[in-house]
Amino acid sequence: MKILVFLLALCVSLSGWAQTLTLKPGHPQSYVVKRGDTLWDISALFLDDPWRWPTLWGANPQIANPHLIYPGDRLTLVFLDGQPRLVRKASKRLSPAAQITPKRDAIPAVPLSVIEPYLNFHAVLSPEDLAQAPVLMGGEREAVIYAEQDVVFVDQALPLGARYGIYNPGQRFYDVEGDHFLGQEAELAAVGQVVESGEISRLLIHTSRQEIKPGQRLMPISENTLLSASFQPHPAPASLSGRVIAAEAQAREVGPLQVAIINKGHDDGARAGQVFAVHQPGTEVVETGSGLAVEFREPADRRAYDEVMALLADGRVIRLPEVYRGELMLFKTYDKVSYGLIVNGRRPVRLADKVLQPQPMLFGSSRD
């Protein structure tokens, strides 16, 4: 019975620790918000775990919505009931009219320039959806590649005045083992507007990001496509874990302010704003007869050197601890996959790395 009471008390104590913020050593007592700041940047000045900013700011009625913080505002660190909180003093306005700051001036959660292409125009579709999309057939100008202000032909009747994105097929996403298809990425090449509707429609190209050429697919751009970048970070649930399966530009490793894709989506409970800790899976080694440790490989993956070392091993396989790499915050989710921004990269994030619920740093502990 005493043991049970002790364990219950320990759980309550740990729960209290999890709600306690640990301020970063050398943190400022106040800070004036500058143009170009993000909520993550500011929180990182005060916390080792910037994803916990709702705890630092959200309980304060002066910052009930941290997305309403503007350049020039002064943030001051105070303690309420023993807990650190930020209070805001708005910058002075010259007139009543100037007190209404345009929404676009409020500082964003993370750098919008990095995630805006994914928020606005990227998509993940099944190959069937992509195959049924309208196809760019050619253009009024005889050319192999088209550019802005060109009028191109599309093989379907499209709504007059509607805006369409012209897409290239991007990466095909598979689970870590490579045998389970999760979705097809569609990458924006250009944006245009329907100027004539018919059996063959005409589309005026307004902006372009990549080459525009026959064979590309089109998808409508609507208000639902333009997702909001206003979200608060919160830890992913303990029941939701996954792997990094791809990265921007098909890179094999990425760092801070780069995009990674994980094998969990909306169907699995993934949501924008969830923060994951990224860990390198612990590698397996075998001990040799001389006490040396060599990397363990499955028989099908062994090289000749591995075969020789296996003969010297005593057969004892040891799994080394996982290595913390950083943190990833989801900003866009689909049925089976999600896009995340590396917001805190201690080490490069690589394909097949694990994504898990983050754990707050306690009493100045270090993950290194």
Side-chain angles (χ1 to χ4, degrees):
M1 183 66 182
K2 291 182 178 180
I3 295 177
L4 178 60
V5 171
F6 171 76
L7 291 176
L8 289 174
L10 180 60
C11 290
V12 172
S13 177
L14 290 174
S15 175
W17 289 351
Q19 299 301 318
T20 300
L21 290 177
T22 301
L23 293 173
K24 178 182 289 187
H27 62 81
Q29 293 301 315
S30 64
Y31 179 76
V32 177
V33 180
K34 300 178 179 60
R35 190 172 301 277
D37 282 342
T38 66
L39 297 180
W40 190 277
D41 294 335
I42 295 174
S43 297
L45 296 174
F46 297 89
L47 303 175
D48 281 310
D49 297 311
W51 53 270
R52 302 187 70 198
W53 86 54
T55 306
L56 180 66
W57 302 15
N60 179 0
Q62 295 187 53
I63 316 182
N65 183 354
H67 300 289
L68 298 180
I69 293 176
Y70 302 94
D73 289 349
R74 177 178 292 276
L75 304 175
T76 303
L77 185 69
V78 300
F79 285 84
L80 301 176
D81 297 326
Q83 294 298 314
R85 294 289 184 266
L86 284 178
V87 296
R88 176 177 64 90
K89 181 179 181 181
S91 56
K92 292 183 179 180
R93 310 291 196 253
L94 297 179
S95 66
Q99 293 180 12
I100 303 177
T101 306
K103 184 179 180 180
R104 59 183 175 84
D105 288 340
I107 64 171
V110 293
L112 297 183
S113 60
V114 178
I115 66 174
E116 187 174 15
Y118 299 93
L119 286 171
N120 289 344
F121 304 119
H122 274 46
V124 176
L125 305 171
S126 69
E128 294 77 17
D129 292 335
L130 199 60
Q132 294 171 6
V135 180
L136 193 155
M137 304 298 292
E140 293 183 345
R141 180 172 63 89
E142 292 185 4
V144 176
I145 297 174
Y146 299 97
E148 295 177 12
Q149 301 308 309
D150 276 339
V151 174
V152 295
F153 300 128
V154 183
D155 71 340
Q156 296 182 22
L158 305 177
L160 187 64
R163 296 176 65 222
Y164 276 80
I166 303 173
Y167 290 85
N168 281 317
Q171 302 183 68
R172 290 173 63 87
F173 298 136
Y174 292 87
D175 218 335
V176 177
E177 293 77 15
D179 56 357
H180 183 49
F181 178 66
L182 299 177
Q184 167 79 61
E185 184 179 48
E187 297 179 351
L188 178 73
V191 176
Q193 188 170 23
V194 179
V195 293
E196 183 177 319
S197 179
E199 185 176 345
I200 299 294
S201 296
R202 282 178 163 85
L203 187 86
L204 173 63
I205 298 173
H206 289 310
T207 60
S208 63
R209 300 176 66 246
Q210 299 179 13
E211 290 184 345
I212 307 165
K213 51 190 177 183
Q216 292 173 323
R217 301 296 198 267
L218 282 75
M219 288 183 287
I221 293 176
S222 65
E223 292 301 320
N224 293 332
T225 308
L226 306 176
L227 300 181
S228 172
S230 296
F231 45 76
Q232 290 194 10
H234 54 281
S239 59
L240 183 60
S241 61
R243 295 292 190 98
V244 176
I245 58 171
E248 64 175 75
Q250 301 187 38
R252 296 193 62 83
E253 67 176 35
V254 289
L257 301 185
Q258 290 184 295
V259 175
I261 298 95
I262 68 170
N263 63 344
K264 298 297 178 182
H266 198 273
D267 290 352
D268 306 297
R271 301 290 186 269
Q274 286 176 344
V275 177
F276 291 83
V278 184
H279 292 265
Q280 173 193 342
T283 57
E284 290 183 331
V285 298
V286 294
E287 283 190 337
T288 66
S290 60
L292 297 176
V294 296
E295 183 178 355
F296 173 78
R297 296 175 186 266
E298 296 294 340
D301 299 325
R302 290 178 183 170
R303 304 163 296 178
Y305 172 79
D306 299 316
E307 295 290 350
V308 173
M309 296 305 295
L311 294 175
L312 302 176
D314 63 5
R316 192 161 72 98
V317 178
I318 302 172
R319 178 172 290 278
L320 300 180
E322 296 179 349
V323 178
Y324 170 77
R325 290 198 187 276
E327 286 154 0
L328 174 147
M329 181 166 64
L330 301 187
F331 62 85
K332 191 169 185 180
T333 64
Y334 295 95
D335 290 347
K336 300 295 182 183
V337 301
S338 297
Y339 286 83
L341 184 69
I342 308 298
V343 286
N344 182 13
R346 301 288 182 91
R347 301 174 180 85
V349 172
R350 297 173 179 167
L351 301 187
D353 279 353
K354 292 183 177 181
V355 291
L356 311 166
Q357 183 184 51
Q359 299 300 319
M361 294 184 66
L362 302 177
F363 306 120
S365 61
S366 174
R367 297 186 181 92
D368 292 326

